Amino acid sequence: MTNSELFDSLDANSFYIEGADITDTKAPQVPIERRWEERRFRARLVNPANRRKLDVIIVGTGLAGSSAAATLGEAGYNVTCFCYQDSPRRAHSIAAQGGINAAKNYRNDGDSIYRLFYDTVKGGDFRARESNVYRLAEVSVEIIDQCVAQGVPFAREYGGLLDNRSFGGVQVSRTFYARGQTGQQLLIGAYQAVERQIAAGTVEMHTRHEMLELIVVDGRARGVVIRDMVTGAIETHFADAVVLATGGYGNVFFLSTNAMGCNVTATWRAYRKGAYFANPCFTQIHPTCIPVSGDYQSKLTLMSESLRNDGRIWVPRSGEDKRDPRQIPEEDRDYYLERIYPSFGNLVPRDIASRAAKNVCDEGRGVGPGGLGVYLDFADAIERLGRQTVEAKYGNLFSMYAQITGEDPYAVPMRIYPAVHYTMGGLWVDYDLQSSIPGLYVTGEANFSDHGANRLGASALMQGLADGYFVLPNTINDYLADGPFPDVDDSHPAVVQAVESVRARIDKLLAVNGSRTVDSFHRELGRLMWDYCGMERSEEGLRKALARIRELKKEYWSDVRVLGTNEELNQALERAGRVADFFELGELMCIDALVRRESCGGHFRVESQTADGEALRDDDEFAYVSAWEFGGEDRRPILHKEPLLYEYVEMKQRSYK
Ligand SMILES: Cc1cc2nc3c(=O)[nH]c(=O)nc-3n(C[C@H](O)[C@H](O)[C@H](O)COP(=O)(O)OP(=O)(O)OC[C@H]3O[C@@H](n4cnc5c(N)ncnc54)[C@H](O)[C@@H]3O)c2cc1C
């Protein structure tokens, strides 16, 4: 029996073990609008003199990590921070383009904290926790004030107020932006705040250092094993608490809009040490990216969702119509989003816009090479607003498009297609952002918390900064109040074991000396994930993917070729470790997708759709967070379900029509 036949004959249950249900015990049982205040009040405090005696490790310097480092440093804790880039400012957050949400209601268009909460719960297709989402909406207004105080140059209107635009899945304008460089400007703000703490001596920064293992002593997260990426030295660092702010894992698909370095290693290592991994199959496919252009490509480029404010999406009515788009008259065009979803039009949420693009391409109406593209057209906007206005709003995005495609988007419609962009899954955390390992906190895209099965645009920056500036600094104290914890050093058996496992893995990767590059394996894994665990998933496809991933993983460990040594700057070695973790993660994603036999948000199971092809949830069976526990090497993972209760937003079939 081949691997593939064996898998076909197995019940989904044979891929995992069902564990006990879990709950989040940290959100106070008071009305939702009082929960965060109540939690902050109940959390134990650490007095300023004692904070100096407490050490916190933060891995990651993107918006989630830098904001946490700056705030905890300012509070007086000793913070040690790591990132693998050569500067904290190069974290992937810098790539964020379109904006950051906040319920300020500057436009007086009916926005409120409650509406942001409602939109996010609905946008996430009822697979996020109400308590967390409400807090996110509440804190959103403070983030903008904080960033303005730091000098972040948000776009302003003529009258001087901060300007806003709209993002998908909402009917108000609540997205604050700095042209198409919002992430960069926010990160410079957070970075300056960290630099200030570095100068003050409360934050110590280690760039070009990669965390390869978590150290758990007596059930608590107490440190990390780090590789100095320049010298190859393996180091240990200890603290009273560890924070992972290490971003998302979209690069498991090989091609994505994420920065090339984004990877899962930090959170995956923590998973293997006992931290639960939640909803790994919840991936966001972004509808507006520059289409794949060939096999040589290793990166995809996002065209910000903000473009959907003014750009109109269409395909020719007939698949036979191969005319230059400018020659196609209105009556021969299908503005399919405006047609199918008249209330939200081009601003439907990302999961819906992506699937609709796939559907029209599957019908043979896609444009460009291979028919995998749709038009994003600014002709109307340019006529209505003038080229100058369009240029002022989106100029850098237009020039990026022109540079990559060689086409002038002011003259010819852009061609776009969905691509992997964000991962809603991540390490499971409670309301305090603490993982299932005491002392291990997880912030930003690395945790699973607030976006359910589909993240609304401009809400990742909001969440990362909410976590780092406001939430974590008000919850981690409750844990640290029991510290300082007993000293740990290199002789502790748990530390010896952690260091040895890192060394053994590096040696093993270097020793294989096979015939295929790391990238060729990664590309093949990515293709499998895209074909079977991407925009559409089916029972049959997922089983096929699982069988092939397991085979490919074996081939990897016997045939990968990693040149060079550990004791030098060795990017092949860095990538080799990350891809090894992607194999394991890919497997868990497929199992998670297989078990969740419903469609919700970005998780579209072909077997579960409405008559008109929309995602069909099964709330009786699947209104839960899936929190996966590592079952051991080559053992089945254990599924813990955290039931989701909706007390405030009524669960119903989403409609954007
Ligand atoms: C092209 C693009 C545009 C986007 N635009 C928007 C937008 O307009 N609005 C919005 O809300 N969201 C946007 N997003 C999403 C958003 O940018 C990210 O979700 C967010 O920036 C993630 O921030 P983070 O701090 O969690 O992680 P990151 O910014 O990814 O930072 C991760 C950090 O962890 C470090 N790290 C990781 N692993 C290790 C390790 N093992 N050892 C040491 N260090 C490690 C890295 O060095 C880095 O410092 C966009 C995403 C993309 C791809």
Side-chain angles (χ1 to χ4, degrees):
M1 201 184 249
T2 65
N3 220 356
S4 180
E5 284 162 350
L6 175 70
F7 275 63
D8 283 345
S9 67
L10 294 174
D11 182 70
N13 295 353
S14 57
F15 292 103
Y16 72 102
I17 296 169
E18 184 110 21
D21 281 5
I22 54 172
T23 47
D24 166 29
T25 54
K26 299 282 176 50
Q29 296 302 304
V30 295
I32 202 159
E33 59 281 359
R34 285 198 34 237
R35 279 183 199 161
W36 180 225
E37 188 186 0
E38 179 74 10
R39 178 65 195 131
R40 275 182 294 171
F41 182 69
R42 298 279 163 214
R44 290 167 301 161
L45 299 177
V46 179
N47 91 47
N50 287 344
R51 292 180 206 157
R52 286 194 286 275
K53 301 175 198 151
L54 291 160
D55 302 327
V56 179
I57 284 174
I58 298 181
V59 188
T61 60
L63 286 173
S66 288
S67 53
T71 313
L72 295 180
E74 172 83 35
Y77 296 105
N78 300 312
V79 178
T80 310
C81 216
F82 300 93
C83 69
Y84 58 69
Q85 288 92 351
D86 52 5
S87 159
R89 243 180 351 171
R90 291 193 151 218
H92 160 65
S93 291
I94 203 158
Q97 299 173 350
I100 175 167
N101 289 329
K104 285 281 199 187
N105 195 27
Y106 282 171
R107 284 291 175 93
N108 204 15
D109 55 1
D111 202 6
S112 62
I113 287 172
Y114 200 88
R115 189 177 297 284
L116 175 50
F117 157 67
Y118 175 89
D119 287 346
T120 309
V121 168
K122 177 183 169 194
D125 214 355
F126 301 91
R127 291 295 174 261
R129 266 190 215 137
E130 278 192 334
S131 304
N132 287 52
V133 179
Y134 192 89
R135 174 178 64 191
L136 179 65
E138 213 177 334
V139 166
S140 71
V141 293
E142 296 175 53
I143 297 171
I144 299 304
D145 297 343
Q146 165 94 357
C147 296
V148 169
Q150 285 173 346
V152 172
F154 285 119
R156 287 179 186 266
E157 298 177 325
Y158 179 72
L161 272 186
L162 300 186
D163 197 12
N164 289 138
R165 53 191 177 197
S166 298
F167 265 55
V170 306
Q171 290 176 309
V172 296
S173 281
R174 63 159 77 99
T175 305
F176 294 75
Y177 65 100
R179 256 187 149 192
Q181 310 170 341
T182 316
Q184 179 173 354
Q185 300 306 332
L186 291 171
L187 190 58
I188 289 172
Y191 166 77
Q192 287 176 165
V194 173
E195 282 291 303
R196 181 163 168 265
Q197 294 309 318
I198 293 174
T202 59
V203 174
E204 192 181 290
M205 182 65 67
H206 299 263
T207 59
R208 294 225 159 198
H209 278 67
E210 182 163 21
M211 171 194 157
L212 296 180
E213 195 52 274
L214 179 74
I215 296 172
V216 180
V217 175
D218 298 332
R220 293 178 191 272
R222 294 302 311 274
V224 287
V225 181
I226 297 274
R227 178 172 178 270
D228 179 327
M229 294 159 75
V230 179
T231 65
I234 304 296
E235 305 167 0
T236 49
H237 295 260
F238 305 110
D240 295 290
V242 176
V243 180
L244 298 185
T246 49
Y249 51 84
N251 279 348
V252 64
F253 291 87
F254 187 71
L255 287 180
S256 86
T257 62
N258 289 7
M260 292 293 290
C262 291
N263 68 88
V264 76
T265 289
T267 48
W268 194 253
R269 297 284 117 196
Y271 162 72
R272 291 175 59 102
K273 279 285 168 80
Y276 295 173
F277 210 110
N279 298 335
C281 81
F282 286 175
T283 315
Q284 174 155 90
I285 316 282
H286 196 298
T288 57
C289 304
I290 299 181
V292 176
S293 57
D295 283 346
Y296 52 84
Q297 224 172 338
S298 51
K299 173 89 184 73
L300 294 176
T301 307
L302 173 76
M303 286 288 102
S304 167
E305 180 162 311
S306 59
L307 295 169
R308 287 200 270 146
N309 273 266
D310 290 307
R312 297 180 71 195
I313 294 176
W314 63 277
V315 287
R317 276 195 192 285
S318 157
E320 307 299 310
D321 194 341
K322 302 296 174 205
R323 283 177 285 180
D324 177 318
R326 290 167 294 185
Q327 310 302 325
I328 301 181
E330 282 294 303
E331 62 273 18
D332 292 341
R333 299 177 176 195
D334 180 11
Y335 294 93
Y336 56 90
L337 290 178
E338 297 172 30
R339 173 174 57 81
I340 307 173
Y341 306 102
S343 303
F344 283 70
N346 292 296
L347 281 173
V348 288
R350 292 175 179 179
D351 54 335
I352 290 180
S354 292
R355 247 187 338 270
K358 181 180 186 303
N359 291 343
V360 293
C361 292
D362 288 351
E363 288 162 20
R365 296 195 289 142
V367 299
L372 290 178
V374 300
Y375 291 127
L376 175 60
D377 195 340
F378 279 80
D380 279 1
I382 292 172
E383 198 179 313
R384 183 166 39 90
L385 305 166
R387 177 176 167 141
Q388 230 179 348
T389 307
V390 170
E391 205 167 333
K393 276 180 156 174
Y394 312 113
N396 68 315
L397 301 171
F398 275 52
S399 68
M400 196 159 76
Y401 182 85
Q403 275 174 31
I404 291 173
T405 62
E407 292 168 14
D408 175 8
Y410 292 101
V412 190
M414 293 183 185
R415 280 177 299 107
I416 51 158
Y417 195 69
V420 173
H421 179 65
Y422 181 89
T423 46
M424 280 77 69
L427 289 185
W428 182 89
V429 287
D430 63 16
Y431 189 67
D432 280 3
L433 303 182
Q434 186 169 222
S435 73
S436 52
I437 301 178
L440 179 69
Y441 289 77
V442 194
T443 60
E445 193 174 339
N447 73 27
F448 88 104
S449 64
D450 301 349
H451 310 293
N454 171 61
R455 175 175 73 81
L456 291 182
S459 58
L461 303 185
M462 169 172 72
Q463 183 225 326
L465 291 181
D467 287 358
Y469 283 135
F470 298 104
V471 181
L472 184 77
N474 283 293
T475 57
I476 198 169
N477 38 294
D478 190 56
Y479 177 79
L480 290 172
D482 286 330
F485 300 105
D487 280 348
V488 181
D489 64 27
D490 283 344
S491 63
H492 192 286
V495 182
V496 172
Q497 186 278 331
V499 172
E500 272 175 5
S501 72
V502 167
R503 287 192 198 285
R505 211 168 124 84
I506 290 173
D507 291 346
K508 195 170 164 191
L509 283 168
L510 289 167
V512 178
N513 204 18
S515 65
R516 279 183 70 179
T517 62
V518 174
D519 267 14
S520 83
F521 277 105
H522 191 181
R523 192 184 288 276
E524 193 174 340
L525 171 68
R527 187 71 214 214
L528 280 169
M529 296 301 294
W530 176 248
D531 286 347
Y532 300 116
C533 198
M535 258 196 286
E536 216 171 74
R537 295 121 186 235
S538 70
E539 187 90 15
E540 191 196 346
L542 288 164
R543 286 171 184 278
K544 217 184 252 179
L546 273 164
R548 182 62 192 135
I549 289 171
R550 287 184 179 178
E551 283 167 4
L552 199 60
K553 188 170 80 177
K554 264 200 201 134
E555 286 166 36
Y556 185 76
W557 283 103
S558 61
D559 195 25
V560 70
R561 187 169 178 81
V562 187
L563 296 172
T565 67
N566 174 52
E567 287 71 33
E568 61 181 331
L569 180 68
N570 186 341
Q571 294 193 321
L573 178 61
E574 290 161 20
R575 280 203 295 271
R578 295 170 190 170
V579 171
D581 289 334
F582 276 144
F583 272 112
E584 296 180 17
L585 166 76
E587 204 175 314
L588 189 67
M589 287 171 73
C590 291
I591 294 175
D592 190 42
L594 191 62
V595 172
R596 194 173 277 280
R597 286 181 162 122
E598 65 160 352
S599 294
C600 55
H603 170 64
F604 191 78
R605 285 284 302 254
V606 284
E607 303 90 348
S608 180
Q609 46 185 309
T610 61
D612 45 1
E614 303 289 350
L616 181 63
R617 292 195 322 266
D618 178 351
D619 293 333
D620 291 339
E621 285 290 321
F622 296 103
Y624 63 75
V625 173
S626 56
W628 293 94
E629 180 185 355
F630 183 58
E633 207 67 62
D634 295 324
R635 294 245 174 104
R636 287 177 293 170
I638 302 154
L639 173 62
H640 300 278
K641 297 176 182 169
E642 180 199 327
L644 288 166
L645 302 174
Y646 290 89
E647 297 170 85
Y648 292 86
V649 185
E650 188 199 344
M651 286 177 105
K652 50 185 179 197
Q653 173 71 30
R654 275 191 313 167
S655 170
Y656 292 95
K657 292 190 167 165

